[in-house]
Amino acid sequence: MTVKVRQLIAGSFEESHSECWLDVVDPATQRVLAQVPCTTDAEMDRAYHSAREAFQTWRNTPVPTRARLMFRYQALLKEHHDELATILSKESGKTFEDAKGDVWRGIEVVEHACNVASLMMGETVENVATGIDTHSYVQPLGVCAGITPFNFPAMIPLWMFPIAIACGNSFILKPSEQDPMTPVRLAELFMEAGAPAGLLQVVHGRKEQVDWLLTHPGIKAISFVGSVPVGRYIYTTGTAQMKRVQAFAGAKNHMVVMPDANRQTVLNQLVGAAFGAAGQRCMAISVVIMVGSAKDCLPEFTEIAAKIRPGAWDDAGSAFGPIISKSARQRVLGLIEAGKREGAECLLDGSACSVEGYSDGNWVGPTIFANVTPEMSIYREEIFGPVLSVVCVETLEEAINLINANPYGNGTSIFTSSGAAARKFQHEIEVGQVGVNVPIPVPLPFFSFTGWRASFYGDQHAYGKQAVRFYTETKTVTSRWLESDISTAVNMTIGLK
Ligand code: NAD
């Protein structure tokens, strides 16, 4: 019998009464692993009311108690690290090591949430006027919701609900319908850590369920991670409903290689950054800009890339897994075809890639295009596959201009041994996350994940101090206490005349 993915409502894991169920498919075999429901309106309503009720108590729960829940949760996540990675690998196709990294980056956010008391400290100024003091608190918003993508089914839900809940909110998570079992296991461990019923709800589905969350007047904030068209829709719809919204969207990340870069470092780092996780990372490098003679390393790079291969999650020899779905693979293949048609030089073509024993898998091998121009579809579109475009320019200035002309601004990096080149690049580049001799500069959770331009719609980013600001409201209190108002009895106690 097919496994039915459960939802978490009012503290219980339950099977939905929905009549609409979607298949969760193993992308390496097409085997149906489970079915996930489209949560019904009545169930969504119950989830909201339970979250609302839980918030009334949780907002008044002392902050050290809230932090202790996160400590217990962090310990459980570590204890179940391998188990979580196995579930994650099976449903997303990621290699086991990559899946462990996905879980680990989420655990680090929970560790950050343990520090919530310091993160929620307000500010104080004494004597803003004679005898008047001002101080501020940050207070939770209420019921918040999160909508997450398929490509990091552990890390991205953990970007959201631990911080929101540590701040005193309750949370409704709508994970990706393509790999919902990892988030449900995360929720089970959260309950096992001692979370009060109702604090976290997990509902499932697609647009209809997202629209329900976006338009419900009681939901105060929406956190979204996913593609650009959906991100724009979420941001415009959510803000039109007067909600606070942060929407992390797609990307096109460039790596600049200067002629003085350490060649071996470039070769090693670029392979992982371009093809790791089959290019299905919002921080993957999808364009490399070779400056001047840096392009001489291309033949050697192509040879290295030709040797790596995708494969099953539990095969230690797999460099990366399959594309998440048949339709996503078709889209990647369509873009590879467009690259050839539009005149780019295909140095390595992974479109006919196959893996022994997995004839039905959504495989695409490493693919490299040279002579790519900004007008081509492979340059303009986020491919989300193991496809690297190479652009050659003569100067760093040209590289910077090219990157700044691109609508996306998630991540970028420069490889060089010149401090001056690195300084110029980091200062002038209009991208939110910059690596210097680091290909995928994802900040740790005490910073924030700071995509810019078309890669992010909103104001406050994920994790770090910014997430605490996103999930809280600031209250500023100005008070005047006059000595003349002190009652006689108190005067005697504190020794005033
Ligand atoms: P997606 O936009 O298809 O789906 C994301 C979420 O939105 C899912 O939960 C999905 O059910 C829901 N959704 C899909 N269509 C919807 C619609 N029409 N209306 C409302 N909700 C809808 O994204 P995906 O394919 O799951 O994830 C890959 C994308 O996510 C890539 O574009 C990638 O760059 C992006 N991403 C961005 C970041 C970042 O931090 N910027 C991080 C990870 C992934």
Side-chain angles (χ1 to χ4, degrees):
M1 213 176 73
T2 319
V3 174
K4 302 275 189 193
V5 179
R6 291 175 308 159
Q7 50 196 19
L8 170 60
I9 297 180
S12 304
F13 289 92
E14 58 171 47
E15 191 174 309
S16 171
H17 290 103
S18 179
E19 287 176 4
C20 169
W21 291 79
L22 310 167
D23 290 342
V24 181
V25 178
D26 174 352
T29 62
Q30 309 307 327
R31 195 165 66 84
V32 175
L33 300 172
Q35 286 191 314
V36 63
C38 295
T39 302
T40 66
D41 281 0
E43 290 162 348
M44 296 289 291
D45 206 47
R46 267 199 307 119
Y48 168 73
H49 283 288
S50 161
R52 179 75 208 154
E53 199 183 318
F55 169 65
Q56 303 302 349
T57 313
W58 188 244
R59 65 186 301 193
N60 294 320
T61 302
V63 69
T65 307
R66 305 204 304 256
R68 274 180 215 119
L69 171 63
M70 297 303 155
F71 277 110
R72 287 194 298 277
Y73 189 39
Q74 183 260 15
L76 274 177
L77 289 172
K78 283 173 84 173
E79 203 181 300
H80 292 264
H81 194 162
D82 282 4
E83 179 214 332
L84 282 161
T86 305
I87 299 170
L88 198 157
S89 288
K90 284 183 176 168
E91 62 178 349
S92 73
K94 277 191 186 185
T95 63
F96 185 62
E97 281 311 309
D98 200 21
K100 280 191 79 168
D102 188 331
V103 176
W104 180 250
R105 297 310 294 254
I107 292 175
E108 289 180 323
V109 181
V110 178
E111 287 172 352
H112 180 64
C114 293
N115 197 27
V116 64
S118 306
L119 292 166
M120 288 187 77
M121 280 181 178
E123 296 171 317
T124 311
V125 174
E126 195 184 36
N127 281 332
V128 293
T130 308
I132 299 185
D133 308 326
T134 299
H135 61 275
S136 64
Y137 298 108
V138 292
Q139 296 191 336
L141 300 176
V143 182
C144 303
I147 298 135
T148 55
F150 80 84
N151 68 326
F152 282 99
M155 178 185 82
I156 292 180
L158 292 172
W159 278 8
M160 298 178 183
F161 73 81
I163 304 273
I165 289 176
C167 287
N169 301 286
S170 54
F171 200 86
I172 305 177
L173 175 68
K174 203 299 286 170
S176 170
E177 68 282 15
Q178 298 192 84
D179 43 16
M181 291 189 277
T182 308
V184 169
R185 186 69 189 123
L186 292 176
E188 284 171 356
L189 294 173
F190 192 57
M191 297 306 290
E192 204 177 313
L199 217 47
L200 175 66
Q201 319 274 337
V202 182
V203 296
H204 297 291
R206 297 183 294 198
K207 182 171 168 33
E208 297 70 26
Q209 288 66 33
V210 172
D211 283 344
W212 196 99
L213 296 168
L214 277 177
T215 51
H216 193 286
I219 293 173
K220 302 294 180 200
I222 299 276
S223 190
F224 166 84
V225 181
S227 58
V228 164
V230 183
R232 279 178 195 267
Y233 170 74
I234 300 270
Y235 187 74
T236 50
T237 313
T239 51
Q241 297 284 326
M242 312 310 274
K243 292 186 196 310
R244 195 174 285 193
V245 182
Q246 54 174 197
F248 298 82
K252 197 80 192 173
N253 306 310
H254 298 64
M255 173 167 145
V256 176
V257 182
M258 297 297 287
D260 63 359
N262 180 308
R263 187 174 172 129
Q264 207 48 53
T265 311
V266 169
L267 295 175
N268 293 342
Q269 301 286 318
L270 184 55
V271 170
F275 308 125
Q280 299 173 109
R281 289 178 179 145
C282 66
M283 289 289 277
I285 293 294
S286 51
V287 181
V288 60
I289 306 181
M290 299 288 186
V291 179
S293 62
K295 60 178 174 295
D296 296 347
C297 73
L298 261 182
E300 194 182 350
F301 176 70
T302 307
E303 252 176 58
I304 296 171
K307 287 187 191 132
I308 65 166
R309 56 173 188 83
W313 71 271
D314 51 356
D315 174 352
S318 308
F320 54 87
I323 301 292
I324 189 69
S325 66
K326 272 191 170 206
S327 59
R329 175 173 178 269
Q330 279 313 317
R331 189 179 164 274
V332 173
L333 295 183
L335 281 159
I336 294 176
E337 278 313 302
K340 293 175 190 166
R341 209 173 45 243
E342 291 171 15
E345 184 188 354
C346 192
L347 301 179
L348 184 64
D349 185 354
S351 31
C353 171
S354 61
V355 174
E356 207 185 319
Y358 294 88
S359 54
D360 288 334
N362 308 322
W363 310 111
V364 179
T367 301
I368 304 174
F369 279 106
N371 295 332
V372 175
T373 62
E375 299 73 38
M376 293 178 180
S377 324
I378 49 169
Y379 183 82
R380 283 185 287 109
E381 295 205 24
E382 182 186 38
I383 302 176
F384 231 52
V387 182
L388 180 68
S389 296
V390 183
V391 179
C392 296
V393 299
E394 284 311 315
T395 64
L396 175 58
E397 197 73 35
E398 279 178 80
I400 292 173
N401 290 341
L402 193 62
I403 298 171
N404 286 349
N406 192 279
Y408 294 105
N410 221 29
T412 188
S413 63
I414 184 169
F415 278 69
T416 181
S417 54
S418 157
R423 170 67 173 68
K424 177 180 170 67
F425 184 76
Q426 76 186 40
H427 181 64
E428 294 182 13
I429 210 73
E430 291 167 16
V431 173
Q433 298 170 107
V434 182
V436 176
N437 298 318
V438 170
I440 302 191
V442 177
L444 262 74
F446 24 90
F447 289 91
S448 294
F449 188 93
T450 51
W452 282 14
R453 298 191 279 145
S455 297
F456 178 71
Y457 304 104
D459 177 6
Q460 306 289 351
H461 291 83
Y463 57 78
K465 292 186 188 119
Q466 294 197 24
V468 173
R469 277 184 226 123
F470 180 74
Y471 289 120
T472 57
E473 197 75 86
T474 303
K475 182 179 281 176
T476 312
V477 180
T478 298
S479 50
R480 174 178 14 221
W481 294 103
L482 298 177
E483 287 185 11
S484 56
D485 289 345
I486 301 176
S487 71
T488 319
V490 176
N491 275 352
M492 284 168 64
T493 326
I494 62 177
L496 286 171
K497 300 235 171 356

